[in-house]
Amino acid sequence: MYDAIIVGGGITGAGIARDAAQRGLHVVLVEKGDFGSGTSSKSSKLVHGGLRYLEHGEIKLVFEGTNERALQMKRAPHLVRPLPFLVPIYKGHKPALTYIDIGLWIYDALAMFRSPQLHKTYRGKKVEALEPALRKDGLAGALEYYDCMTDDARLVLENVLDAKEMGATVKNYTSCRAVLRDRRGRVAAVRVKDELTGAEDELPTRAVVVAAGPWTDRVLASIGAAGDRPLLRPTKGVHLVVDHARLPIHRAITMFTKDRRVIFCIPWVERTVIGTTDTDWSGDPDDVAADAADVAYLCDAVRPMFPDAKISPDDVLSTWAGLRPLMAQGTAGESASEVSREHEIIVRDEGIVTIFGGKLTTYRRMAKEATDRLVEWLHDRADAALEGREIAACRTKGRPLPGAQGIEKPGQKAVHAIAQAVAAAHPDLPARVAEHLSHNYGVRAPKVLGSHERINPDLPYVWAEIDFAVTQDLARTVADVLVRRVPLCLRGRDQGLDVAGRVAARMAELLGWSEAEKARQIEDYQRTVGASRRWKGST
Ligand code: FAD
């Protein structure tokens, strides 16, 4: 009998599985696709306090965000790395430079002055030198502040791997189909289905934790636990990827759109990311994709800021789209961008804990709160289920993620030292590849390398990573590898289509696929890429 089945292997469910396992609970994490394949791999990839939430007076959210940012920089320095942001201010701009400057002082103060660096003000020509691609006409000054960039899919994966290491059972491609109840109406078991083989199973459990992001209302309906009204108001967010040479920036650029939203251009080494949109979504969460209007909106927003680049839809190499699992309450009349990014936890007497809303940045705190509520329920209601077992308090604050375990002084210097050690052990390895491996895998980087053969001359990925993805990082499909482990789908000029056949062939060797399965995997990957290009055919 398990203490809890956690439904949803995004950052929220993965964080809860890790926290619960560390406390000594017996839990299973079930995810209907790949870990992180939902919203948690479709974010802006920022670990941030959320400067713009200050405008809506969400001080608590910003305080939690900046503090979790500081903690994650210590516990996962390879994955959560400082990134400078520049807010260019033009003559007559509202909000004015002084107003944003005050906001940034509050931002620094809420971070208890432990930001990667305190913010700075630049005026006139200095800004032009910092970011030469920016429009110069009317440029009055700029403010620079720091947040962090991450690899969202890998942040999920490292939480899953660590949960597993501490005793959690983790099952990808396993969906929750139903909850079975005992005579008193309490949770007794969860019926699950293996989505790759079709096999069904029943997992006996005392409780269920629903952490299904934008699928929350659907999961609750399928397990007979839906309320009168939907809990969520999902909104779609789209990102575009262009070549860095087309939009050459050195810092993330924070920009204000005509409809008074904030969007970013984010440097991603060989590429630049533009995002995001924020529009209500009422369709199937499995079918979310960028459309032509999203692409036009982002290109139109960027063009006046970088007039020489003349960014157009023709520049777009790839797109990704995700749904924010925002709370539905109190949103009448609010625009999508104004809906709160807070989270909520609901505990039902029968043994169902539901958590929704929130941000990638605050996942650890959210996981702590949800696990606290689960433990409380197990103590009070589950017929002395925990009797005789020592259930520890939350300790995730002190435990590094797998890629940072064993680092004595966690920080960017330690990550750089890993890159240097990898380079020293493999003198023919280009510095960019060593840097990439240290950022992606942290202390696990030396274990990745077998062959140094590059997958693509343009990008730092090597073929040895494909093997590592399958043997160590839980990849089961070609899309798992090419979208989330080695994300050529997002960063490759051909979105990885050129190498999908060879990746499938290698995975077939490792996983024993038949020829038919190999062909099916390639087709499935082509469909995934097709969905990210659907905007080209939409009006
Ligand atoms: P998900 O990641 O969606 O996970 C839910 C999982 O449940 C899915 O993987 C799904 O497959 C699974 N599931 C569904 N039904 C079942 C079932 N029946 N059985 C088993 N599994 C099931 N936050 C930040 O902090 N920084 C950012 O920069 C940022 N940018 C964002 C940009 C965009 C465009 C969006 C959309 C969000 C952004 N966020 C950001 C918010 C953040 O990404 C989300 O809050 C977070 O990823 C939600 O995680 P989750 O685990 O709750 O949901």
Side-chain angles (χ1 to χ4, degrees):
M1 170 76 83
Y2 292 105
D3 292 317
I5 309 290
I6 300 154
V7 180
I11 194 66
T12 310
I16 294 169
R18 177 173 183 256
D19 188 330
Q22 194 185 16
R23 294 187 202 207
L25 293 171
H26 303 315
V27 295
V28 184
L29 175 66
V30 295
E31 162 55 52
K32 73 179 175 65
D34 183 20
F35 295 117
S37 58
T39 301
S40 298
S41 57
K42 318 281 174 45
S43 79
S44 302
K45 311 189 190 304
L46 302 176
V47 171
H48 61 156
L51 177 61
R52 75 194 164 84
Y53 307 140
L54 279 181
E55 203 184 332
H56 302 296
E58 297 197 76
I59 300 284
K60 180 169 162 266
L61 194 63
V62 178
F63 179 73
E64 285 178 2
T66 49
N67 282 283
E68 283 301 306
R69 182 187 68 190
L71 190 69
Q72 290 196 46
M73 281 166 62
K74 277 201 205 136
R75 299 293 168 247
H78 58 306
L79 287 180
V80 180
R81 300 189 308 276
L83 176 71
F85 283 69
L86 199 74
V87 195
I89 305 290
Y90 290 87
K91 287 186 187 119
H93 184 276
K94 292 241 172 27
L97 192 142
T98 325
Y99 181 84
I100 300 175
D101 193 21
I102 294 168
L104 282 168
W105 277 118
I106 298 172
Y107 199 57
D108 283 338
L110 288 171
M112 298 195 285
F113 299 100
R114 289 182 315 188
S115 293
Q117 283 186 36
L118 295 184
H119 82 275
K120 287 187 202 126
T121 306
Y122 295 98
R123 293 187 192 272
K125 295 273 180 217
K126 271 197 190 146
V127 187
E128 292 180 20
L130 289 176
E131 292 295 344
L134 272 174
R135 170 162 67 89
K136 297 175 185 63
D137 182 29
L139 188 58
L143 292 134
E144 187 188 56
Y145 65 97
Y146 274 75
D147 263 317
C148 288
M149 178 93 190
T150 190
D151 176 337
D152 48 6
R154 195 155 279 280
L155 196 62
V156 176
L157 180 67
E158 289 216 3
N159 272 274
V160 173
L161 292 173
D162 206 30
K164 188 166 173 249
E165 174 68 28
M166 292 188 288
T169 301
V170 301
K171 290 173 176 281
N172 45 2
Y173 292 96
T174 304
S175 58
C176 160
R177 310 292 282 187
V179 164
L180 312 179
R181 292 168 170 81
D182 65 15
R183 273 181 290 118
R184 292 167 304 172
R186 288 208 184 141
V187 167
V190 171
R191 184 172 304 136
V192 295
K193 180 178 173 193
D194 184 322
E195 293 291 335
L196 297 179
T197 64
E200 295 213 354
D201 196 6
E202 272 174 26
L203 305 174
T205 183
R206 300 185 170 93
V208 172
V209 178
V210 176
W215 289 265
T216 300
D217 286 311
R218 285 171 187 240
V219 169
L220 289 176
S222 74
I223 62 173
D228 306 337
R229 286 185 302 157
L231 295 176
L232 293 187
R233 174 186 174 181
T235 73
K236 178 170 81 160
V238 166
H239 289 85
L240 314 181
V241 179
V242 301
D243 212 322
H244 181 258
R246 291 290 295 117
L247 202 54
I249 49 173
H250 307 99
R251 297 158 185 72
I253 308 292
T254 306
M255 301 178 304
F256 301 91
T257 60
K258 277 190 200 147
D259 52 338
R260 288 192 46 74
R261 294 189 50 250
V262 172
I263 65 166
F264 302 108
C265 289
I266 304 170
W268 206 20
V269 198
E270 296 82 0
R271 305 284 179 253
T272 298
V273 177
I274 306 168
T276 170
T277 60
D278 199 353
T279 50
D280 280 311
W281 175 266
S282 56
D284 182 348
D286 284 303
D287 196 37
V288 61
D291 61 30
D294 298 321
V295 175
Y297 172 89
L298 291 171
C299 290
D300 289 350
V302 163
R303 218 175 290 116
M305 296 294 287
F306 301 94
D308 295 341
K310 298 187 176 56
I311 291 296
S312 82
D314 290 341
D315 292 303
V316 174
L317 298 179
S318 72
T319 65
W320 72 81
L323 294 180
R324 298 175 185 83
L326 303 180
M327 298 191 299
Q329 280 168 2
T331 58
E334 280 176 337
S335 76
S337 293
E338 285 166 346
V339 179
S340 171
R341 266 58 175 167
E342 294 269 13
H343 65 274
E344 191 172 330
I345 298 171
I346 297 171
V347 183
R348 286 169 66 110
D349 264 0
E350 68 207 274
I352 298 177
V353 178
T354 304
I355 177 163
F356 57 100
K359 302 197 300 164
L360 192 80
T361 304
T362 47
Y363 83 90
R364 194 204 59 84
R365 274 187 82 109
M366 289 167 60
K368 175 190 177 301
E369 282 176 38
T371 314
D372 283 346
R373 300 289 293 275
L374 170 68
V375 171
E376 215 174 271
W377 187 89
L378 288 168
H379 266 302
D380 292 353
R381 306 280 159 77
D383 296 340
L386 303 178
E387 203 174 277
R389 278 161 59 202
E390 196 64 39
I391 299 301
C394 175
R395 288 174 293 157
T396 49
K397 248 188 177 179
R399 183 175 168 98
L401 287 180
Q405 287 172 5
I407 293 180
E408 263 179 37
K409 286 193 180 157
Q412 291 312 299
K413 275 190 189 154
V415 179
H416 186 61
I418 295 170
Q420 283 181 322
V422 170
H426 303 272
D428 53 337
L429 198 70
R432 170 71 186 114
V433 176
E435 178 198 54
H436 151 69
L437 294 172
S438 69
H439 285 173
N440 242 35
Y441 304 95
V443 296
R444 300 165 79 225
K447 292 190 199 133
V448 177
L449 278 178
S451 146
H452 299 178
E453 189 193 346
R454 298 277 278 269
I455 299 180
N456 181 322
D458 206 19
L459 295 165
Y461 308 118
V462 290
W463 279 100
E465 289 181 80
I466 309 295
D467 284 31
F468 197 78
V470 175
T471 59
Q472 308 297 317
D473 279 352
L474 312 176
R476 306 267 306 267
T477 71
V478 169
D480 296 355
V481 171
L482 288 177
V483 182
R484 287 168 294 276
R485 306 300 186 285
V486 181
L488 284 165
C489 182
L490 311 181
R491 308 186 76 208
R493 286 185 200 288
D494 192 31
Q495 295 196 257
L497 288 173
D498 48 346
V499 294
R502 187 168 161 195
V503 170
R506 183 62 191 140
M507 291 184 77
E509 280 174 41
L510 294 167
L511 295 169
W513 289 343
S514 63
E515 281 302 312
E517 177 60 14
K518 205 167 77 180
R520 203 190 62 75
Q521 289 278 340
I522 297 170
E523 268 172 37
D524 194 47
Y525 182 65
Q526 287 165 341
R527 263 195 302 280
T528 302
V529 173
S532 80
R533 295 177 176 178
R534 204 185 294 159
W535 63 272
K536 293 186 183 189
S538 66
T539 49

